[in-house]
């Protein structure tokens, strides 16, 4: 698991850095841009970058907490962790697509589905890490984003411009853990 932790740190670091790869370059402008030009060119990619970076950061934090709770695992959990890390590696791809076509319903659904896959793999890994132990304060923050991202996909179908606000609700996952701890304690 120690090697998995080092690998995950590398993967998260590279993926989070590559999120900025698709940002427009200054050469996108023929001359010095005005405020309208800057907003027109940068708004969508920066919104996508911000959402993806914070999502990746939250899942990195969750991943490290999970490895601390379950420092040993069998081969199946290690392979599932590798699929989880694969889903993180693909985040710059869907982020670039979403940053370019944020208001398109098909693109928003694809991006939302990718976020849902990441959240689901993370939640399954938490369920496996907590097997037989009752820790709602640890499980609630892992399950909460699954529901939020599923809801966000439905929002993306209906109104892609609203989906980004629904996805941001996933940032309340630590609060869900706090509420679960209060209720169980």
């Amino acid at each position: 698991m120690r090697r998995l932790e080092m690998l995950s740190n590398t993967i998260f670091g590279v993926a989070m850095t590559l999120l900025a790869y698709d940002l427009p370059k200054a050469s996108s402008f023929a001359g010095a841009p005005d405020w309208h030009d800057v907003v027109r060119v940068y708004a969508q990619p920066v919104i996508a970058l911000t959402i993806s970076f914070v999502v990746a950061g939250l899942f990195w934090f969750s991943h490290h907490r999970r490895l601390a709770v379950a420092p040993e695992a069998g081969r199946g959990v290690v392979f599932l962790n590798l699929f989880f890390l694969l889903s993180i590696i693909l985040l710059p791809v869907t982020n670039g697509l979403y940053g370019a076509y944020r208001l398109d319903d098909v693109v928003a659904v694809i991006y939302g589905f990718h976020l849902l896959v990441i959240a689901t793999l993370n939640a399954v890994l938490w369920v496996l890490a907590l097997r037989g132990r009752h820790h709602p304060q640890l499980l609630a923050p892992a399950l909460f984003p699954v529901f939020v991202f599923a809801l966000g996909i439905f929002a993306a179908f209906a109104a892609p411009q609203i989906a980004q606000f629904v996805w941001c609700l996933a940032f309340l996952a630590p609060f869900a853990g706090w509420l679960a701890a209060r209720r169980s304690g």
Side-chain angles (χ1 to χ4, degrees):
M1 292 300 273
R2 194 75 175 131
R3 286 183 287 184
L4 181 64
E5 183 178 5
M6 290 187 313
L7 175 65
S8 71
N9 283 340
T10 302
I11 287 173
F12 273 97
V14 169
M16 291 170 81
T17 301
L18 287 176
L19 290 173
Y21 181 76
D22 284 328
L23 287 178
K25 308 297 181 250
S27 60
S28 302
F29 305 108
D34 61 16
W35 286 109
H36 179 266
D37 293 333
V38 171
V39 170
R40 181 183 48 79
V41 170
Y42 283 98
Q44 285 192 177
V46 169
I47 289 169
L49 170 83
T50 302
I51 292 170
S52 295
F53 189 87
V54 173
V55 165
L58 288 172
F59 283 117
W60 173 78
F61 183 71
S62 177
H63 184 67
H64 277 277
R65 287 185 66 204
R66 183 174 19 85
L67 292 176
V69 168
E72 296 178 6
R75 182 172 287 175
V77 170
V78 170
F79 280 114
L80 192 57
N81 262 294
L82 289 174
F83 281 114
F84 171 72
L85 293 174
L86 175 62
S87 71
I88 297 298
I89 287 173
L90 294 174
L91 192 57
V93 176
T94 56
N95 177 72
L97 186 62
Y98 184 67
Y101 305 104
R102 182 175 57 90
L103 300 178
D104 182 80
D105 59 340
V106 172
V107 171
V109 168
I110 290 169
Y111 182 71
F113 182 74
H114 185 201
L115 295 177
L116 179 62
V117 167
I118 294 170
T120 302
L121 288 169
N122 184 61
V124 168
L125 286 164
W126 267 104
V127 167
L128 293 172
L130 296 173
R131 258 181 277 182
R133 295 184 278 175
H134 181 71
H135 290 288
Q137 73 278 11
L138 296 176
L139 194 54
L143 295 175
F144 185 75
V146 174
F147 296 109
V148 169
F149 292 143
L151 181 63
I153 290 172
F154 288 112
F157 273 118
Q161 67 276 16
I162 301 298
Q164 65 193 356
F165 299 109
V166 175
W167 293 327
C168 287
L169 294 175
F171 306 149
L172 297 175
F175 182 68
W178 178 79
L179 280 178
R182 287 190 51 123
R183 286 191 170 174
S184 69

